[in-house]
Amino acid sequence: MITYVRKPIPDIGIDESAKRLTPEKIEKTINAVLKGTGARLKAYLETCVHCGLCSEACHYYLSHDKDPSYSPVAKVKMTLWEMVEKKGKVSADFIRQCSRIAYTECNRCRRCSLYCPHGIDIWYLMALVRRICLLLKVVPQYEMDTNYSHAATLNMMWLKQDDWIDTVQWQEEEVRMEYPTARIPFDKEGAEIMYTPIAPEPKFKPQLLAATAKIFHAAGVDWTMPSSDGWDNSDISMHVADFETMARVERKHFEAAVRLKVKRIVMCE
Amino acid sequence: MYDFIKDPSLYNFVRGPLAWIAFFMFIGGSIYKIRELILLAKKEKTVIPFLDLKFSLRSILHWVVPFGSVNWRKRWVMTTMTFLFHICLVFTPIFLLSHNVLWHESWGITWWTLSEGLADIMTIIVIITCMFFFLRRILAPEVRFVTFTSDYLILAIAFVPFLTGFLAYHQLLLPYKIMVILHMISGAAMLIAIPFTRLGHMFYFFFTRAYLGSETGFRRGTDW
């Protein structure tokens, strides 16, 4: 018989927070999330014929020598199906396992949905599991930290506004060593495009900003970047299913574009 | 026991009220389930606004064509078996000569019928493909891992009417009368089970495909 066997990996975010869970809290949270779902969950639960055709879509499955416990449907079976069947009466250990599966054994690439003959959105089902784990605060520490960064600073790297401005101006100087007329224009109202990087660029690889500036300079693009919040296009809150923070981050991003009256947003990556 | 079977009242019950109940449950249940799903979808913010007729039909067509999608082409044995199974499962009972005779006796309606030889082959195909699915459930690790008792049950629900039908037609194993009664009971069980079990993918297939197809289309992608 195949079972779910994994080498234990300690993670404060998962292990320590799971210790604080009570059966009542787990049950209440799961049922609250499930109650908020509708036609999609119902159709997906009642349509899946457990055929396993989604397996070969998953790179986790393929890179673990086709271990069946990594197949997309198996991940749903070990998490959501069990929650639904037991009506939320599951243990804290089970939630720990769900968190590990949903956050570290599925990166929500959605290939499996394109392999499913029924078009079941397995990504959506894993998102529900992540949502439950998030509300129970059983999330890998690094991801939760990034989420808190979004909540506090609206970018994913705990960058403050002066860090951001300083880094960009430093890179502008670097570019101008090569192209004396090149600029990285902040807050230029009415520009053609607003360019937004992801926060690891100013944090770890600021030369990428200089490279972008060179490209825009050579192409003669009329561009700008916001100097205040909304300059980061990433949204890890979406990935950890903290939809409240996700919405704040997205709103700020679009509001920056509206404030600068640009025609379009161009994002890195 | 044999007297009980010989007594025409059992046959009359199966042929009359049970058939009515089965058809009523099948049609009524299906309408109820589809209506329930649509009402639920209306409450969800992200479903109806995404739906797009063109993308939905494109997605459904892409997957009902054999070997149309990437995954169908990757698994050619499974694809062949699936398509043979579903085509024979749906069309054999509808166009079977003896079923048409029953409809003619009851309501005076008939339509095209399959030749008896072809219908026999199609029934054998259903029986063989069912066995294939059963073996696949046991032998393929990724399928076995997600297999529940209910999976064997719904396979059996689809399998038994065809097996008993085949045995009754060839008058094998049990006396014809017993076999045909078993055939009718299992057929009724299948009709009743469709809306209320995962056999409901018969209808839900179109809805789940339509939604994913619309979403891929909305993002200017195509189905694989």
Side-chain angles (χ1 to χ4, degrees), chain A residues 204-219:
Chain A
F204 299 122
K205 282 260 178 197
Q207 57 271 43
L208 292 175
L209 289 169
T212 312
K214 283 177 200 169
I215 292 170
F216 281 147
H217 175 70

Side-chain angles (χ1 to χ4, degrees), chain B residues 174-200:
Chain B
L174 289 174
Y176 175 75
K177 259 193 178 158
I178 304 177
M179 199 52 100
V180 90
I181 288 171
L182 286 176
H183 173 66
M184 289 162 108
I185 293 174
S186 58
M190 183 177 175
L191 281 177
I192 295 169
I194 286 174
F196 302 105
T197 62
R198 281 185 282 114
L199 292 174

Side-chain angles (χ1 to χ4, degrees), chain A residues 2 38-40 42-53 55-56 61 68-69 73-74 77-78 81 110-111 113-119 121 124, chain B residues 33 36-37 40-41 44 46-47 63 70-72 74-75 78 136-137 141-143 145-146 148 151 198 201 204-205 208-209 211-212 215-216 219 223-224:
Chain A
I2 317 143
R40 277 187 290 171
K42 186 178 161 59
Y44 294 156
L45 290 176
E46 291 185 15
T47 305
C48 179
V49 287
H50 310 171
C51 67
L53 284 177
S55 305
E56 286 195 352
Y61 173 78
S69 65
V73 61
K77 176 208 163 191
M78 291 185 292
W81 286 353
R110 302 188 86 186
R111 268 170 69 95
S113 307
L114 295 167
Y115 272 58
C116 174
H118 291 113
D121 197 348
Y124 167 75
Chain B
K33 292 292 270 191
E36 189 192 20
L37 190 72
L40 264 175
E44 226 174 325
T46 42
V47 175
W63 280 87
V70 167
N71 207 11
W72 283 150
K74 276 194 151 180
R75 311 257 193 142
M78 178 64 180
R136 190 172 170 271
R137 283 222 170 274
E142 80 272 25
V143 192
F145 189 64
V146 291
F148 296 76
D151 292 301
R198 281 185 282 114
H201 69 262
Y204 281 2
F205 167 81
T208 48
R209 268 256 71 90
Y211 176 71
L212 196 85
E215 213 199 311
T216 3
R219 296 175 195 277
D223 281 294
W224 285 6

Side-chain angles (χ1 to χ4, degrees), chain B residues 81 84-85 88 120-130:
Chain B
M81 291 294 187
L84 282 175
F85 170 73
C88 297
D120 211 29
I121 293 169
M122 288 168 82
T123 310
I124 293 170
I125 288 175
V126 173
I127 292 170
I128 291 172
T129 48
C130 273

Side-chain angles (χ1 to χ4, degrees), chain A residues 192-258:
Chain A
E192 191 77 21
I193 62 171
M194 176 179 93
Y195 174 73
T196 48
I198 55 169
E201 290 191 30
K203 181 87 175 178
F204 299 122
K205 282 260 178 197
Q207 57 271 43
L208 292 175
L209 289 169
T212 312
K214 283 177 200 169
I215 292 170
F216 281 147
H217 175 70
V221 176
D222 177 19
W223 68 299
T224 185
M225 286 202 282
S227 65
S228 54
D229 292 341
W231 57 265
D232 181 7
N233 75 43
S234 66
D235 199 339
I236 301 299
S237 305
M238 181 190 85
H239 292 290
V240 298
D242 179 354
F243 301 134
E244 293 77 11
T245 310
M246 172 190 87
R248 281 181 55 222
V249 172
E250 288 309 313
R251 177 177 287 258
K252 203 71 190 173
H253 188 214
F254 289 117
E255 277 178 0
V258 171

Side-chain angles (χ1 to χ4, degrees), chain B:
Chain B
M1 177 69 187
Y2 192 58
D3 289 338
F4 175 66
I5 303 291
K6 264 185 7 189
D7 183 12
S9 62
L10 179 63
Y11 177 81
N12 285 341
F13 169 74
V14 174
R15 168 86 173 89
L18 186 67
W20 275 111
I21 292 169
F23 280 114
F24 178 77
M25 294 283 274
F26 170 59
I27 295 167
S30 302
I31 292 171
Y32 169 77
K33 292 292 270 191
I34 292 171
R35 186 171 170 271
E36 189 192 20
L37 190 72
I38 291 172
L39 287 179
L40 264 175
K42 279 185 181 161
K43 276 191 213 155
E44 226 174 325
K45 280 185 208 159
T46 42
V47 175
I48 303 281
F50 270 112
L51 283 181
D52 180 292
L53 185 65
K54 192 185 109 194
F55 294 141
S56 301
L57 294 176
R58 187 178 75 177
S59 181
I60 291 167
L61 186 72
H62 187 69
W63 280 87
V64 296
V65 174
F67 303 101
S69 69
V70 167
N71 207 11
W72 283 150
R73 288 197 288 273
K74 276 194 151 180
R75 311 257 193 142
W76 65 273
V77 179
M78 178 64 180
T79 306
T80 313
M81 291 294 187
T82 304
F83 276 93
L84 282 175
F85 170 73
H86 283 96
I87 290 168
C88 297
L89 182 86
V90 172
F91 292 110
T92 315
I94 299 176
F95 297 111
L96 191 78
L97 179 64
S98 31
H99 288 179
N100 267 267
V101 170
L102 290 180
W103 285 316
H104 185 67
E105 280 177 9
S106 304
W107 306 310
I109 49 165
T110 54
W111 45 71
W112 309 278
T113 54
L114 298 162
S115 75
E116 300 225 301
L118 182 62
D120 211 29
I121 293 169
M122 288 168 82
T123 310
I124 293 170
I125 288 175
V126 173
I127 292 170
I128 291 172
T129 48
C130 273
M131 287 170 179
F132 168 78
F133 291 141
F134 178 72
L135 289 176
R136 190 172 170 271
R137 283 222 170 274
I138 295 172
L139 298 176
E142 80 272 25
V143 192
R144 188 178 172 165
F145 189 64
V146 291
T147 294
F148 296 76
T149 318
S150 61
D151 292 301
Y152 293 118
L153 273 177
I154 60 172
L155 190 61
I157 290 173
F159 175 66
V160 175
F162 286 84
L163 181 71
T164 50
F166 178 79
L167 293 176
Y169 177 75
H170 292 281
Q171 313 214 358
L172 298 166
L173 211 62
L174 289 174
Y176 175 75
K177 259 193 178 158
I178 304 177
M179 199 52 100
V180 90
I181 288 171
L182 286 176
H183 173 66
M184 289 162 108
I185 293 174
S186 58
M190 183 177 175
L191 281 177
I192 295 169
I194 286 174
F196 302 105
T197 62
R198 281 185 282 114
L199 292 174
H201 69 262
M202 179 179 168
F203 314 106
Y204 281 2
F205 167 81
F206 297 97
F207 291 95
T208 48
R209 268 256 71 90
Y211 176 71
L212 196 85
S214 301
E215 213 199 311
T216 3
F218 177 82
R219 296 175 195 277
R220 297 179 202 173
T222 49
D223 281 294
W224 285 6

